[in-house]
Amino acid sequence: MMISDHEMDHVPDEAFVWLWLPDATEPVVAGRIARDGDRLIFNYGQRYLAREDRIAICHPELPLRRGAIAPEAGLSIAGCLRDAAPDAWGRRVILNRAFGQKGNHADVMALDELTYLLASGSDRVGALDFQRSATHYIPRTVETATLEELLSAAGKVEQGIPLTPDLDQALFHGSSLGGARPKALIQDGDTKWIAKFSSSTDTYNMVKAEFVAMRLAAQVGLNVAPARLAHVAGKDVLLIERFDRTRTADGWARKAMVSALTLFGLDEMMARYASYQDLTEIIRHRFTAPKATLHELYGRLVFNILCGNTDDHARNHAAFWDGHQLTLTPAYDLCPQSRTGNVASQAMLIVGDTRASTLATCLAAAPYFQLEAPAAIDTINRQIRTVQAMWDTVCDEAKLTPIDRNLLSQRMFLNDFVFEGAPKSIEVIRIA
C-alpha cells in the first residue's frame, strides 16, 4: 500500500518516542519529538520521568530531565534517535511505497526525517519506535514472509518497480534497518535474522564475501554475530542473527543500542572525523570491562585491515545501553571491499589523522588500546595464521567458485599493501 496523498500533504510535526525498558516485552511512551525549524526537539513525558524504572534513552545526549532537549551542535536530531531511523536501503523501500515507480528516481531527501521515522517498520534496530499516538501503540509489522518473497520484493525495489500490496508489506517490515544494501527481516522459531541480498550493482559475490569474513572473524576469536548462508531462487542470501532481540516466555525483549557515530556526537556529514583513537577514550570512561573491550576492538581493527573491510564507518560500531553503562555489541557488517589498486584507507581514522589500511598503522595505535608492541604483534600474527589455516575450510563452506576465491585471496584478504612498513616480526603470509 502506497503512502496516501493525504499523508504526503500533511507532513507530521511531531512523533512520540516509545521505548522498551530493559527486559520488558511491551513498550512505554518515553517522550515526544517536535519540529523547531529544521531541528527536532525532544521532551521526556512527565509520566515517564515519574517511573521508578525509567532510564535515559541515551546519556549524556538525552539526560533524564524536564523540558526541551535540543540536538547537540551540528545535529538536526539527537543521534540516539537517528540511530533508529532507516538508512539508504530502508528509505528506498519507503520511497517505493510513497511514489511507486517514480521512487526509483526520487532523492532520499524527498521525505523528511520525521516522516521516515513514522513511515518505517517498527521492528527497528535497538529498543525504540516512533508513533503518532502517545496512548496507543500500534506496531507497523506484518507476518514474516518467505525468503523467496523478500528476495523478489528487493529486486523490484532496485528496479524501481512498484510492489504489489503483498510484496510491499513483506519488504516494509525491514524498512527501518540501516545500511545501503538490500535486506529484510525474518524469524525462524526463537531467532530473528537480518537477511542480506545481492544487489544488481555487485561486481563480485558480496554476500559470500561477507559470510567468509564473518566466519573467519569468529575463527580468530572475535565476538561476531552468528551468520549462515541460504540459497533461494538461484541466489545467495546471508542471514545475520539479531543480537538486539531476546525471546522470553512473555514475548520479545529488545536491547537498546547506540552507534559509535552517536557516541562521537557526529552525523553522517561529519563522519570522516570519527576515529578509533577517540573511541578508545570513550571506552575507557564509559564502557563495561574497558580493558577487555579495548582489546576486542583492536582485534576488530586488525581484522578489518586483514580482510579488506574498509567500510568500517562509525555506524558499523555500536554498543548496548542498559541505562547505566555501555557494552560493545558483537561485530557486524564485516564485508571485504573491492579496490582498484593496492593502496587503501579505512573509513574511520585510526590514530591521529592517519587512516591507512596497514598493520604498521595498527601498531602505532596499539598504546591507545592498552596494548604494548609485543602483545599487539601477537594479536596480528595470530589472526594472520588463523586466516591462512582456516581459509580453505571457510571457502568450501561458502561454496565459493574458483574465480571468487581467487578474487578474495588476491585482492582483499591479506593484500600486499597491509604489510607495508610493518616490522619483520609481522608474518607476511599469502593465501595459496
Side-chain angles (χ1 to χ4, degrees), residues 82 113 135 330 412 426:
R82 174 61 181 85
E113 197 70 45
T135 56
M412 300 172 190
I426 297 293

Side-chain angles (χ1 to χ4, degrees), residues 38-53:
D38 59 356
R39 300 185 304 168
L40 292 172
I41 307 298
F42 177 80
N43 280 265
Y44 280 107
Q46 293 184 16
R47 290 185 179 180
Y48 181 77
L49 289 174
R51 295 179 64 102
E52 292 186 0
D53 59 352

Side-chain angles (χ1 to χ4, degrees), residues 136-390:
H136 295 90
Y137 179 78
I138 303 174
R140 296 180 297 279
T141 58
V142 296
E143 293 297 321
T144 302
T146 66
L147 273 176
E148 189 166 1
E149 291 170 330
L150 293 167
L151 193 62
S152 173
K156 289 180 183 297
V157 168
E158 280 207 300
Q159 298 170 50
I161 300 173
L163 299 178
T164 64
D166 287 344
L167 285 180
D168 175 78
Q169 288 296 315
L171 201 61
F172 171 72
H173 183 45
S175 61
S176 56
L177 295 174
R181 295 184 55 75
K183 58 180 65 67
L185 295 174
I186 65 168
Q187 182 176 332
D188 182 11
D190 290 340
T191 306
K192 291 193 175 188
W193 302 83
I194 295 175
K196 305 177 91 170
F197 310 126
S198 59
S199 170
S200 58
T201 60
D202 288 349
T203 56
Y204 61 99
N205 195 322
M206 292 187 70
V207 167
K208 286 189 173 181
E210 185 170 352
F211 172 78
V212 169
M214 295 285 284
R215 292 287 292 119
L216 285 172
Q219 292 292 330
V220 303
L222 298 176
N223 180 17
V224 184
R228 61 185 177 90
L229 275 176
H231 197 69
V232 181
K235 294 186 177 181
D236 299 306
V237 179
L238 177 64
L239 299 175
I240 306 292
E241 185 175 333
R242 294 190 66 172
F243 45 71
D244 61 339
R245 296 291 184 268
T246 304
R247 183 73 163 177
T248 72
D250 297 323
W252 289 96
R254 304 190 180 194
K255 293 184 177 181
M257 288 172 51
V258 292
S259 71
L261 195 65
T262 290
L263 297 178
F264 291 135
L266 303 174
D267 65 7
E268 277 76 9
M269 299 300 293
M270 300 182 285
R272 64 186 181 277
Y273 299 114
S275 79
Y276 282 95
Q277 181 179 335
D278 290 344
L279 186 53
T280 64
E281 183 72 15
I282 296 172
I283 288 172
R284 283 195 294 271
H285 291 94
R286 300 184 56 197
F287 275 63
T288 58
K291 187 172 184 177
T293 300
L294 288 170
H295 292 178
E296 168 72 16
L297 183 63
Y298 188 76
R300 295 183 191 187
L301 167 61
V302 169
F303 186 79
N304 280 335
I305 286 175
L306 292 179
C307 78
N309 175 32
T310 54
D311 192 35
D312 58 342
H313 57 78
R315 281 210 186 279
N316 281 344
H317 300 277
F320 296 123
W321 166 248
D322 65 1
H324 304 284
Q325 288 182 299
L326 297 161
T327 303
L328 194 66
T329 71
Y332 56 95
D333 279 355
L334 302 178
C335 189
Q337 303 294 307
S338 180
R339 60 173 80 182
T340 55
N342 279 342
V343 177
S345 58
Q346 299 304 116
M348 276 189 21
L349 293 165
I350 298 174
V351 59
D353 59 357
T354 303
R355 62 177 85 236
S357 305
T358 66
L359 297 174
T361 308
C362 289
L363 287 176
Y368 295 98
F369 294 84
Q370 295 187 3
L371 284 169
E372 295 184 358
I377 290 171
D378 181 67
T379 294
I380 292 169
N381 284 338
R382 177 169 43 80
Q383 287 199 17
I384 293 171
R385 290 193 295 267
T386 302
V387 168
Q388 187 193 41
M390 297 302 300

